[in-house]
Each structure stands twice: as structure tokens, then as C-alpha cells.
Amino acid sequence: MRRSFADYALPLLVFLAMIGLWEALVRINDIPPYVLPSPSLIGVTLVKDWGTLSGSLLVTLQITFQALLAATVGGVALAILFARSRWIERSFFPFAVVLQVTPIVAIAPLLLVYLDANTAVLVCAFLVAFFPILSNMALGLASADHNLIDLFELYKASRWKQLILLRLPAALPYFLGGLRIAGGLALIGAIVAEIAAGSAGQGAGLAYRIVEAGYRLNIPRMFAALVLISASGILIYLVFTLLSYVLLSRWHDSARERGL
Amino acid sequence: MADMLSLRGVDKVFATGAQALGGLDLDVREGEFLSLLGPSGCGKSTALRMIAGLSQPTRGSMEWRAGRPEIGFVFQDAVLMPWANVFDNVWLPLRLTGQSRAQSAVRIEAALELVGLDGFAKAYPRELSGGMKMRVSIARAMVLRPALLLMDEPFAALDEITRLKLNNDLLRLKQELGATVVFVTHSVFESVYLSSRIAVFSARPGRVVAEIEVDAPLPRDDDFRLTPLYGHACKEASDALHKAMGEA
């Protein structure tokens, strides 16, 4: 399927039109910046405060990716363990579910009691990113073609070889789907935990900048930080979508362009 | 021909309580082309899986005369690894016995040539037609030069023309490799065309209710379908099948 120019141009035009409308509404109605800043003012603030904001962006991204890395290693390892033994899966999966269904906002204050602020934020981001990777990976490992499993058994393949040559490749599309969800969630987890920690006067991530700017009624800076958070989320999503495409386009239907 | 394998009084009851086989007696003779013919759900696939060692009898005995030979297995679907190209798919049995890609290259090329797929080593399964995928599957089963080839309705999902072509190729392959073949099918015509012997299965529980010898030398070609012997054997197999299904 070839994308025509209009496929890209139309959404872009609509987006720009909405920004223009915002700008116009603020100017025509003379809305003060501490109520609603115009897009141009947010842009100016972004440039002017870049020194402060970029440092915070780096901190937030660092936490997000550290958490994602830990969630990936932990989730994949635990999923492999689950695939090896039903007994382990039955015993430990409930814990994973409990962690998943308990809102992270509710856990964050508790973690801040036990851990220092940076570690607590990291753990929060890890907790929300962990489950999608674990559950998708477990599903992927279990979804290997049963006939192929029979074939490996026929040739007396060890469980290790079955894992490496069959179950892991079969799980790859599921894992990448989980990673895409977990990437966004890790960012959300980091922000939520930062807000919890920031309100206690600690941390230096983007969420802390929002809270801090809020106290000072610096609304344009709040918006500027928000723009950076959104952009980070979009970027994370795009990176993992691209990764999926690169790894799967040769063989998996999800990354296949449909011929018409 | 000497017996390669004997199954005597074999029962198979699954954990669900369903009985797939009951009192199955079956011999596989060295060098023959044996078809297991029967209606769907009569346990012929279960019998094949048992021969492959993928399923164990609940009761009864299964004896190899000279030990378990090298076995190749072809499933109803091609069952290829979609993430691996044709070369790597055919490499799998060799890889699992510890052969490197380089060590295996000659045998893989030979296997691909045998099934008429030379030049497709780099292709991925999804780029191939159903018939070509099945050829890859057969090449994979053949690459270790098994003495016994087990096939579970391998051509059932293919169109008629591809199926007839693959029937002929299979007979040629069997001749070149000198392998014994056990072939599961629900097609009377296919079983008669391919087999030196047909075991007709009855369902619930699965067992062999008739054996038919097809006394024409292998390999055969399309002219065989025009001979009286082919017609007779089809009639005989068809009658046995109807009887097995309780219709006669």
C-alpha cells in the first residue's frame, strides 16, 4: 500500500489548524498567560527555559529507560520461568496481577517511605512496565506452533534448544507488542511517581518541574514541560514501532504491507 | 518383506477419557508404502504419532525389529518456522543434531534439489505457495535421509493439480531414498495410487478392519490410474471404508 501525499498532509494540516485556532482564541479574547498561554508563548518558554527543562527531560528519560530495561529483563526472565513450570506460574502469577491492578499512585507514597526518592520513582516506573512485558511474553512463549514443538521432540531437541530456536522467536511479535505498551507505561509511571516525590520537595524530573511551576503560577512553563512529556511518549512509541517493523517485516503478518 | 515395526493390541485413551485407538494391530514392513485410510477422527493420526514416539500407547505393545530407525515426519500443514528462510528451515533437523550451517550446506542443497526447490533457499515461507511450502516440509523431513517417513495427510490442503504432482514426486523420492513410508489419508484414490498396502481404519475406537495389497510395482505414473487393477483396488478400498463407517 503506497501512502499518498494526502495521507500525511491532511492530518498535519488539521493539527496545524488546531494550533492556529488556539493561538487565535488566546489573542482575540486577550486571555492572560497565567490562565491559558498561547502556543507561541509555550514555544518561547521552551527555548528560554531549555537549560532547566532539558536537564529534567534527561532525568525523566533516564528513569523511563532504566525502568523499561529492568522490566524487560525481569519480565522476560520470569516468563521463561513460567513457561518451564506450570507450578511456578500458578504460584507467582497472582503476585504479578496484584501489582498490576493496584494503582501506582497508591503505591508511590509507600515506596517513598521505604526508599530514597530516585529509587522509589524507578521502582514505580518498573512496576507499571513489568506486567505487559511479562504477560505478553508468557503468551508468546506458549503460542509456539504445537506441531513444531512435536517436531523438536521428534528430533530429541533439548529444552534449551527448544527455547532458543523455537519459543523465543515465536514470542518475538508478542514481546514487541508488550514493549510498545510498556514503553508508554514506564514514562507514565515515572511521571506519576515523580509527582508524588516532587510534592515532598525531592526529584528533578519533568513532573517535578510541572509541580514547581504550578506553585509559582508559571503556567507557560507547565505547558512547556507537558509538551516535552508528550513528545517523549510519542518518540518512545515510534522507536518501538520502528523496531517491530525492522525485526518482523521479513516474516510476520503484523509488519506486512497488504497488497491490494 | 520383513516387518520393521509391529503394533499389537494397542489402546490409546487420552486424559480426557476419549479413546482414540482400541485393539490396534498393525505391521509396517521394510521398504513398503503403507497408507492408513479412514474417516476423520478414526485415530489414524494418533497411530502415526505413536509410531513417531510423540504419543505413548495406554495398553498394548509396540516393537521395532531392529531398533527405532531415523524418522522423518510431515504434518498436514507445512509447519515451517515463519521467521526462518527455506535454507534454515531445512537445516533444522541437522542443527538439532549439532551440525553447523556450513557442515549442512551440501545436504540441504541436495534435499532442496530433490524436491525441486533449488534456487529458493533464501525465500521466506510466506513468499511461497502452499505446494512449495509442503515441498520445503518434505525436504526438511528428508534431509537426515530417514529410513522411515511418516506423513499425516500432507496434501489434504492442496489443490488437485498440485496434489497429483506431489503424489508423483513423492513416489520418485521414495524410490530414490529407499525409505519406508507410512502415509495417513482419507482419500481412497490417493491411497491406492501411492501405496503398496492399505490399512483401512474404523472409528470409535480406532483399529485396522481391512488390509488391501495393491499389486503394482512402484513407482507408478498417471497411466496406472487407467488400469483395471487400479479400478479394482479403488472399489475394494472404497467398500472397506464404507463398511468401516458402518454404511454397508
Side-chain angles (χ1 to χ4, degrees), chain B residues 12-58:
Chain B
K12 178 70 190 182
V13 182
F14 290 114
T16 54
Q19 184 170 12
L21 298 172
L24 172 72
D25 294 321
L26 181 69
D27 295 319
V28 179
R29 301 175 194 157
E30 199 87 50
E32 75 173 336
F33 194 120
L34 171 67
S35 279
L36 310 184
L37 175 67
S40 303
C42 70
K44 49 197 194 308
S45 292
T46 307
L48 199 70
R49 288 175 55 84
M50 207 174 267
I51 295 172
L54 295 171
S55 173
Q56 301 306 319
T58 312

mmCIF file of all heavy atoms in Angstrom, chain B residues 12-58:
data_model
loop_
_atom_site.group_PDB
_atom_site.id
_atom_site.type_symbol
_atom_site.label_atom_id
_atom_site.label_comp_id
_atom_site.label_asym_id
_atom_site.label_seq_id
_atom_site.Cartn_x
_atom_site.Cartn_y
_atom_site.Cartn_z
ATOM 1 N N LYS B 12 -5.295 -46.521 22.977
ATOM 2 C CA LYS B 12 -4.897 -45.180 23.394
ATOM 3 C C LYS B 12 -6.102 -44.468 23.970
ATOM 4 O O LYS B 12 -7.103 -44.255 23.284
ATOM 5 C CB LYS B 12 -4.334 -44.378 22.210
ATOM 6 C CG LYS B 12 -3.944 -42.954 22.556
ATOM 7 C CD LYS B 12 -2.713 -42.914 23.443
ATOM 8 C CE LYS B 12 -2.456 -41.514 23.986
ATOM 9 N NZ LYS B 12 -1.235 -41.464 24.802
ATOM 10 N N VAL B 13 -6.010 -44.146 25.237
ATOM 11 C CA VAL B 13 -7.070 -43.381 25.889
ATOM 12 C C VAL B 13 -6.453 -42.065 26.351
ATOM 13 O O VAL B 13 -5.464 -42.057 27.084
ATOM 14 C CB VAL B 13 -7.649 -44.143 27.094
ATOM 15 C CG1 VAL B 13 -8.790 -43.344 27.720
ATOM 16 C CG2 VAL B 13 -8.122 -45.529 26.673
ATOM 17 N N PHE B 14 -7.007 -40.941 25.904
ATOM 18 C CA PHE B 14 -6.465 -39.638 26.289
ATOM 19 C C PHE B 14 -6.891 -39.272 27.703
ATOM 20 O O PHE B 14 -7.820 -39.871 28.259
ATOM 21 C CB PHE B 14 -6.929 -38.554 25.309
ATOM 22 C CG PHE B 14 -6.296 -38.688 23.954
ATOM 23 C CD1 PHE B 14 -7.063 -39.006 22.839
ATOM 24 C CD2 PHE B 14 -4.928 -38.530 23.801
ATOM 25 C CE1 PHE B 14 -6.478 -39.139 21.590
ATOM 26 C CE2 PHE B 14 -4.341 -38.659 22.552
ATOM 27 C CZ PHE B 14 -5.115 -38.970 21.454
ATOM 28 N N ALA B 15 -6.221 -38.286 28.264
ATOM 29 C CA ALA B 15 -6.518 -37.840 29.626
ATOM 30 C C ALA B 15 -7.970 -37.398 29.768
ATOM 31 O O ALA B 15 -8.566 -37.478 30.834
ATOM 32 C CB ALA B 15 -5.582 -36.695 30.016
ATOM 33 N N THR B 16 -8.559 -36.943 28.648
ATOM 34 C CA THR B 16 -9.955 -36.501 28.678
ATOM 35 C C THR B 16 -10.922 -37.675 28.765
ATOM 36 O O THR B 16 -12.125 -37.482 28.924
ATOM 37 C CB THR B 16 -10.288 -35.714 27.398
ATOM 38 O OG1 THR B 16 -9.950 -36.531 26.274
ATOM 39 C CG2 THR B 16 -9.519 -34.426 27.332
ATOM 40 N N GLY B 17 -10.392 -38.888 28.599
ATOM 41 C CA GLY B 17 -11.237 -40.067 28.638
ATOM 42 C C GLY B 17 -11.633 -40.555 27.249
ATOM 43 O O GLY B 17 -12.174 -41.647 27.096
ATOM 44 N N ALA B 18 -11.337 -39.758 26.228
ATOM 45 C CA ALA B 18 -11.656 -40.151 24.861
ATOM 46 C C ALA B 18 -10.714 -41.275 24.415
ATOM 47 O O ALA B 18 -9.510 -41.191 24.624
ATOM 48 C CB ALA B 18 -11.522 -38.959 23.924
ATOM 49 N N GLN B 19 -11.324 -42.306 23.815
ATOM 50 C CA GLN B 19 -10.491 -43.408 23.341
ATOM 51 C C GLN B 19 -10.241 -43.261 21.844
ATOM 52 O O GLN B 19 -11.180 -43.270 21.042
ATOM 53 C CB GLN B 19 -11.163 -44.752 23.620
ATOM 54 C CG GLN B 19 -10.263 -45.913 23.233
ATOM 55 C CD GLN B 19 -10.783 -47.252 23.714
ATOM 56 O OE1 GLN B 19 -11.920 -47.381 24.146
ATOM 57 N NE2 GLN B 19 -9.937 -48.273 23.639
ATOM 58 N N ALA B 20 -8.945 -43.102 21.487
ATOM 59 C CA ALA B 20 -8.604 -42.903 20.084
ATOM 60 C C ALA B 20 -8.358 -44.233 19.387
ATOM 61 O O ALA B 20 -8.723 -44.415 18.232
ATOM 62 C CB ALA B 20 -7.381 -42.012 19.964
ATOM 63 N N LEU B 21 -7.721 -45.158 20.093
ATOM 64 C CA LEU B 21 -7.393 -46.448 19.494
ATOM 65 C C LEU B 21 -7.837 -47.563 20.434
ATOM 66 O O LEU B 21 -7.747 -47.428 21.651
ATOM 67 C CB LEU B 21 -5.877 -46.566 19.266
ATOM 68 C CG LEU B 21 -5.230 -45.567 18.303
ATOM 69 C CD1 LEU B 21 -3.717 -45.698 18.357
ATOM 70 C CD2 LEU B 21 -5.732 -45.786 16.884
ATOM 71 N N GLY B 22 -8.326 -48.649 19.849
ATOM 72 C CA GLY B 22 -8.715 -49.787 20.671
ATOM 73 C C GLY B 22 -8.388 -51.086 19.959
ATOM 74 O O GLY B 22 -8.952 -51.387 18.917
ATOM 75 N N GLY B 23 -7.451 -51.815 20.502
ATOM 76 C CA GLY B 23 -7.073 -53.099 19.906
ATOM 77 C C GLY B 23 -6.491 -52.973 18.524
ATOM 78 O O GLY B 23 -6.825 -53.727 17.614
ATOM 79 N N LEU B 24 -5.583 -52.021 18.359
ATOM 80 C CA LEU B 24 -4.952 -51.818 17.045
ATOM 81 C C LEU B 24 -3.832 -52.828 16.812
ATOM 82 O O LEU B 24 -2.910 -52.944 17.610
ATOM 83 C CB LEU B 24 -4.384 -50.398 16.955
ATOM 84 C CG LEU B 24 -3.531 -50.094 15.728
ATOM 85 C CD1 LEU B 24 -4.388 -49.989 14.479
ATOM 86 C CD2 LEU B 24 -2.729 -48.819 15.914
ATOM 87 N N ASP B 25 -3.955 -53.585 15.722
ATOM 88 C CA ASP B 25 -2.860 -54.452 15.276
ATOM 89 C C ASP B 25 -2.372 -53.918 13.943
ATOM 90 O O ASP B 25 -3.156 -53.774 13.011
ATOM 91 C CB ASP B 25 -3.354 -55.893 15.075
ATOM 92 C CG ASP B 25 -3.787 -56.529 16.386
ATOM 93 O OD1 ASP B 25 -3.115 -56.287 17.405
ATOM 94 O OD2 ASP B 25 -4.800 -57.259 16.375
ATOM 95 N N LEU B 26 -1.093 -53.638 13.858
ATOM 96 C CA LEU B 26 -0.569 -53.079 12.611
ATOM 97 C C LEU B 26 0.903 -53.418 12.469
ATOM 98 O O LEU B 26 1.668 -53.321 13.428
ATOM 99 C CB LEU B 26 -0.751 -51.549 12.623
ATOM 100 C CG LEU B 26 -0.290 -50.790 11.380
ATOM 101 C CD1 LEU B 26 -1.194 -51.092 10.191
ATOM 102 C CD2 LEU B 26 -0.265 -49.284 11.642
ATOM 103 N N ASP B 27 1.279 -53.870 11.264
ATOM 104 C CA ASP B 27 2.696 -54.092 10.974
ATOM 105 C C ASP B 27 3.148 -53.098 9.914
ATOM 106 O O ASP B 27 2.391 -52.776 9.005
ATOM 107 C CB ASP B 27 2.926 -55.507 10.420
ATOM 108 C CG ASP B 27 2.601 -56.562 11.461
ATOM 109 O OD1 ASP B 27 2.952 -56.353 12.639
ATOM 110 O OD2 ASP B 27 1.964 -57.575 11.087
ATOM 111 N N VAL B 28 4.360 -52.621 10.061
ATOM 112 C CA VAL B 28 4.967 -51.826 8.999
ATOM 113 C C VAL B 28 6.111 -52.642 8.441
ATOM 114 O O VAL B 28 6.993 -53.061 9.183
ATOM 115 C CB VAL B 28 5.482 -50.472 9.527
ATOM 116 C CG1 VAL B 28 6.129 -49.680 8.398
ATOM 117 C CG2 VAL B 28 4.354 -49.673 10.158
ATOM 118 N N ARG B 29 6.072 -52.904 7.125
ATOM 119 C CA ARG B 29 7.110 -53.744 6.517
ATOM 120 C C ARG B 29 8.206 -52.894 5.906
ATOM 121 O O ARG B 29 7.950 -51.825 5.365
ATOM 122 C CB ARG B 29 6.493 -54.645 5.436
ATOM 123 C CG ARG B 29 5.405 -55.555 5.976
ATOM 124 C CD ARG B 29 4.766 -56.314 4.816
ATOM 125 N NE ARG B 29 3.511 -56.936 5.229
ATOM 126 C CZ ARG B 29 2.541 -57.260 4.375
ATOM 127 N NH1 ARG B 29 2.692 -57.014 3.079
ATOM 128 N NH2 ARG B 29 1.442 -57.826 4.800
ATOM 129 N N GLU B 30 9.389 -53.440 5.956
ATOM 130 C CA GLU B 30 10.577 -52.783 5.413
ATOM 131 C C GLU B 30 10.349 -52.414 3.944
ATOM 132 O O GLU B 30 10.014 -53.262 3.127
ATOM 133 C CB GLU B 30 11.741 -53.776 5.503
ATOM 134 C CG GLU B 30 13.107 -53.153 5.419
ATOM 135 C CD GLU B 30 13.608 -52.715 6.784
ATOM 136 O OE1 GLU B 30 13.568 -53.523 7.713
ATOM 137 O OE2 GLU B 30 14.030 -51.555 6.889
ATOM 138 N N GLY B 31 10.514 -51.142 3.600
ATOM 139 C CA GLY B 31 10.507 -50.727 2.190
ATOM 140 C C GLY B 31 9.145 -50.515 1.573
ATOM 141 O O GLY B 31 9.043 -50.137 0.415
ATOM 142 N N GLU B 32 8.074 -50.742 2.310
ATOM 143 C CA GLU B 32 6.745 -50.606 1.694
ATOM 144 C C GLU B 32 6.253 -49.160 1.744
ATOM 145 O O GLU B 32 6.820 -48.308 2.438
ATOM 146 C CB GLU B 32 5.736 -51.514 2.400
ATOM 147 C CG GLU B 32 5.282 -51.017 3.761
ATOM 148 C CD GLU B 32 4.161 -51.857 4.350
ATOM 149 O OE1 GLU B 32 3.432 -52.506 3.585
ATOM 150 O OE2 GLU B 32 4.029 -51.859 5.596
ATOM 151 N N PHE B 33 5.184 -48.914 0.969
ATOM 152 C CA PHE B 33 4.450 -47.653 1.074
ATOM 153 C C PHE B 33 3.092 -48.021 1.646
ATOM 154 O O PHE B 33 2.242 -48.564 0.958
ATOM 155 C CB PHE B 33 4.308 -46.992 -0.302
ATOM 156 C CG PHE B 33 3.874 -45.555 -0.207
ATOM 157 C CD1 PHE B 33 4.681 -44.542 -0.730
ATOM 158 C CD2 PHE B 33 2.676 -45.198 0.399
ATOM 159 C CE1 PHE B 33 4.297 -43.200 -0.635
ATOM 160 C CE2 PHE B 33 2.286 -43.873 0.502
ATOM 161 C CZ PHE B 33 3.092 -42.873 -0.014
ATOM 162 N N LEU B 34 2.931 -47.761 2.955
ATOM 163 C CA LEU B 34 1.711 -48.145 3.652
ATOM 164 C C LEU B 34 0.831 -46.932 3.867
ATOM 165 O O LEU B 34 1.283 -45.921 4.399
ATOM 166 C CB LEU B 34 2.071 -48.778 5.002
ATOM 167 C CG LEU B 34 0.913 -49.050 5.980
ATOM 168 C CD1 LEU B 34 0.000 -50.143 5.430
ATOM 169 C CD2 LEU B 34 1.440 -49.446 7.348
ATOM 170 N N SER B 35 -0.432 -47.039 3.434
ATOM 171 C CA SER B 35 -1.372 -45.952 3.710
ATOM 172 C C SER B 35 -2.310 -46.356 4.832
ATOM 173 O O SER B 35 -2.758 -47.495 4.885
ATOM 174 C CB SER B 35 -2.208 -45.629 2.471
ATOM 175 O OG SER B 35 -1.482 -44.801 1.603
ATOM 176 N N LEU B 36 -2.563 -45.416 5.734
ATOM 177 C CA LEU B 36 -3.593 -45.616 6.746
ATOM 178 C C LEU B 36 -4.799 -44.824 6.266
ATOM 179 O O LEU B 36 -4.768 -43.603 6.206
ATOM 180 C CB LEU B 36 -3.132 -45.114 8.114
ATOM 181 C CG LEU B 36 -1.751 -45.588 8.590
ATOM 182 C CD1 LEU B 36 -1.474 -45.084 10.002
ATOM 183 C CD2 LEU B 36 -1.640 -47.110 8.536
ATOM 184 N N LEU B 37 -5.851 -45.557 5.866
ATOM 185 C CA LEU B 37 -7.019 -44.931 5.254
ATOM 186 C C LEU B 37 -8.196 -45.029 6.212
ATOM 187 O O LEU B 37 -8.459 -46.094 6.772
ATOM 188 C CB LEU B 37 -7.344 -45.657 3.937
ATOM 189 C CG LEU B 37 -8.608 -45.235 3.182
ATOM 190 C CD1 LEU B 37 -8.467 -43.824 2.643
ATOM 191 C CD2 LEU B 37 -8.896 -46.214 2.044
ATOM 192 N N GLY B 38 -8.896 -43.920 6.391
ATOM 193 C CA GLY B 38 -10.058 -43.979 7.276
ATOM 194 C C GLY B 38 -10.743 -42.641 7.376
ATOM 195 O O GLY B 38 -10.204 -41.627 6.939
ATOM 196 N N PRO B 39 -11.953 -42.652 7.943
ATOM 197 C CA PRO B 39 -12.692 -41.391 8.095
ATOM 198 C C PRO B 39 -12.013 -40.482 9.111
ATOM 199 O O PRO B 39 -11.162 -40.934 9.876
ATOM 200 C CB PRO B 39 -14.069 -41.838 8.604
ATOM 201 C CG PRO B 39 -13.827 -43.153 9.253
ATOM 202 C CD PRO B 39 -12.687 -43.788 8.517
ATOM 203 N N SER B 40 -12.401 -39.222 9.148
ATOM 204 C CA SER B 40 -11.826 -38.288 10.115
ATOM 205 C C SER B 40 -12.117 -38.771 11.531
ATOM 206 O O SER B 40 -13.183 -39.306 11.800
ATOM 207 C CB SER B 40 -12.443 -36.900 9.937
ATOM 208 O OG SER B 40 -12.242 -36.451 8.625
ATOM 209 N N GLY B 41 -11.147 -38.603 12.390
ATOM 210 C CA GLY B 41 -11.353 -38.942 13.800
ATOM 211 C C GLY B 41 -11.311 -40.426 14.088
ATOM 212 O O GLY B 41 -11.834 -40.876 15.096
ATOM 213 N N CYS B 42 -10.669 -41.217 13.199
ATOM 214 C CA CYS B 42 -10.636 -42.653 13.430
ATOM 215 C C CYS B 42 -9.347 -43.079 14.118
ATOM 216 O O CYS B 42 -9.095 -44.245 14.330
ATOM 217 C CB CYS B 42 -10.797 -43.420 12.127
ATOM 218 S SG CYS B 42 -9.374 -43.290 11.060
ATOM 219 N N GLY B 43 -8.507 -42.128 14.479
ATOM 220 C CA GLY B 43 -7.303 -42.465 15.224
ATOM 221 C C GLY B 43 -6.084 -42.771 14.375
ATOM 222 O O GLY B 43 -5.035 -43.130 14.889
ATOM 223 N N LYS B 44 -6.194 -42.565 13.038
ATOM 224 C CA LYS B 44 -5.036 -42.883 12.202
ATOM 225 C C LYS B 44 -3.869 -41.933 12.455
ATOM 226 O O LYS B 44 -2.712 -42.351 12.479
ATOM 227 C CB LYS B 44 -5.396 -42.930 10.717
ATOM 228 C CG LYS B 44 -6.185 -41.738 10.180
ATOM 229 C CD LYS B 44 -6.828 -42.110 8.847
ATOM 230 C CE LYS B 44 -7.340 -40.910 8.069
ATOM 231 N NZ LYS B 44 -8.233 -39.992 8.797
ATOM 232 N N SER B 45 -4.197 -40.669 12.714
ATOM 233 C CA SER B 45 -3.124 -39.713 13.055
ATOM 234 C C SER B 45 -2.487 -40.058 14.400
ATOM 235 O O SER B 45 -1.282 -39.919 14.580
ATOM 236 C CB SER B 45 -3.668 -38.286 13.111
ATOM 237 O OG SER B 45 -4.041 -37.863 11.827
ATOM 238 N N THR B 46 -3.332 -40.511 15.343
ATOM 239 C CA THR B 46 -2.812 -40.922 16.651
ATOM 240 C C THR B 46 -1.843 -42.086 16.490
ATOM 241 O O THR B 46 -0.778 -42.124 17.123
ATOM 242 C CB THR B 46 -3.970 -41.339 17.582
ATOM 243 O OG1 THR B 46 -4.920 -40.281 17.618
ATOM 244 C CG2 THR B 46 -3.468 -41.618 18.977
ATOM 245 N N ALA B 47 -2.214 -43.030 15.622
ATOM 246 C CA ALA B 47 -1.331 -44.180 15.371
ATOM 247 C C ALA B 47 0.004 -43.701 14.803
ATOM 248 O O ALA B 47 1.076 -44.175 15.210
ATOM 249 C CB ALA B 47 -2.003 -45.155 14.405
ATOM 250 N N LEU B 48 -0.065 -42.726 13.887
ATOM 251 C CA LEU B 48 1.160 -42.208 13.267
ATOM 252 C C LEU B 48 2.045 -41.514 14.300
ATOM 253 O O LEU B 48 3.266 -41.698 14.323
ATOM 254 C CB LEU B 48 0.780 -41.232 12.147
ATOM 255 C CG LEU B 48 1.864 -40.948 11.114
ATOM 256 C CD1 LEU B 48 2.087 -42.178 10.248
ATOM 257 C CD2 LEU B 48 1.510 -39.763 10.241
ATOM 258 N N ARG B 49 1.413 -40.715 15.159
ATOM 259 C CA ARG B 49 2.162 -40.015 16.205
ATOM 260 C C ARG B 49 2.811 -41.006 17.166
ATOM 261 O O ARG B 49 3.894 -40.782 17.693
ATOM 262 C CB ARG B 49 1.233 -39.081 16.989
ATOM 263 C CG ARG B 49 0.808 -37.841 16.203
ATOM 264 C CD ARG B 49 -0.210 -37.030 16.997
ATOM 265 N NE ARG B 49 0.277 -36.691 18.319
ATOM 266 C CZ ARG B 49 1.057 -35.642 18.572
ATOM 267 N NH1 ARG B 49 1.403 -34.849 17.594
ATOM 268 N NH2 ARG B 49 1.473 -35.402 19.789
ATOM 269 N N MET B 50 2.114 -42.124 17.375
ATOM 270 C CA MET B 50 2.644 -43.157 18.258
ATOM 271 C C MET B 50 3.900 -43.771 17.649
ATOM 272 O O MET B 50 4.900 -43.985 18.326
ATOM 273 C CB MET B 50 1.570 -44.214 18.475
ATOM 274 C CG MET B 50 1.677 -44.959 19.772
ATOM 275 S SD MET B 50 0.241 -46.019 19.941
ATOM 276 C CE MET B 50 -0.858 -44.973 20.849
ATOM 277 N N ILE B 51 3.830 -44.042 16.342
ATOM 278 C CA ILE B 51 4.998 -44.596 15.649
ATOM 279 C C ILE B 51 6.172 -43.615 15.740
ATOM 280 O O ILE B 51 7.315 -44.002 15.920
ATOM 281 C CB ILE B 51 4.662 -44.900 14.171
ATOM 282 C CG1 ILE B 51 3.597 -46.003 14.085
ATOM 283 C CG2 ILE B 51 5.915 -45.311 13.409
ATOM 284 C CD1 ILE B 51 3.054 -46.242 12.689
ATOM 285 N N ALA B 52 5.853 -42.302 15.678
ATOM 286 C CA ALA B 52 6.900 -41.281 15.743
ATOM 287 C C ALA B 52 7.469 -41.139 17.153
ATOM 288 O O ALA B 52 8.491 -40.489 17.349
ATOM 289 C CB ALA B 52 6.352 -39.938 15.267
ATOM 290 N N GLY B 53 6.780 -41.725 18.137
ATOM 291 C CA GLY B 53 7.238 -41.596 19.516
ATOM 292 C C GLY B 53 6.711 -40.344 20.193
ATOM 293 O O GLY B 53 7.153 -39.977 21.274
ATOM 294 N N LEU B 54 5.748 -39.666 19.553
ATOM 295 C CA LEU B 54 5.194 -38.433 20.118
ATOM 296 C C LEU B 54 4.025 -38.730 21.047
ATOM 297 O O LEU B 54 3.495 -37.848 21.708
ATOM 298 C CB LEU B 54 4.721 -37.503 18.993
ATOM 299 C CG LEU B 54 5.823 -36.984 18.075
ATOM 300 C CD1 LEU B 54 5.236 -36.260 16.870
ATOM 301 C CD2 LEU B 54 6.755 -36.061 18.840
ATOM 302 N N SER B 55 3.601 -39.982 21.052
ATOM 303 C CA SER B 55 2.469 -40.382 21.883
ATOM 304 C C SER B 55 2.745 -41.820 22.328
ATOM 305 O O SER B 55 3.316 -42.604 21.563
ATOM 306 C CB SER B 55 1.195 -40.282 21.037
ATOM 307 O OG SER B 55 0.091 -40.802 21.720
ATOM 308 N N GLN B 56 2.357 -42.140 23.565
ATOM 309 C CA GLN B 56 2.637 -43.478 24.080
ATOM 310 C C GLN B 56 1.357 -44.299 24.147
ATOM 311 O O GLN B 56 0.302 -43.766 24.455
ATOM 312 C CB GLN B 56 3.261 -43.390 25.481
ATOM 313 C CG GLN B 56 4.558 -42.596 25.555
ATOM 314 C CD GLN B 56 5.602 -43.097 24.581
ATOM 315 O OE1 GLN B 56 5.762 -44.312 24.405
ATOM 316 N NE2 GLN B 56 6.317 -42.195 23.940
ATOM 317 N N PRO B 57 1.436 -45.618 23.853
ATOM 318 C CA PRO B 57 0.241 -46.456 23.971
ATOM 319 C C PRO B 57 -0.215 -46.542 25.431
ATOM 320 O O PRO B 57 0.629 -46.576 26.325
ATOM 321 C CB PRO B 57 0.710 -47.833 23.484
ATOM 322 C CG PRO B 57 2.078 -47.661 22.946
ATOM 323 C CD PRO B 57 2.619 -46.368 23.419
ATOM 324 N N THR B 58 -1.520 -46.562 25.656
ATOM 325 C CA THR B 58 -2.045 -46.765 27.006
ATOM 326 C C THR B 58 -1.898 -48.246 27.377
ATOM 327 O O THR B 58 -1.521 -48.592 28.490
ATOM 328 C CB THR B 58 -3.529 -46.370 27.073
ATOM 329 O OG1 THR B 58 -3.690 -45.083 26.458
ATOM 330 C CG2 THR B 58 -4.012 -46.276 28.508
#
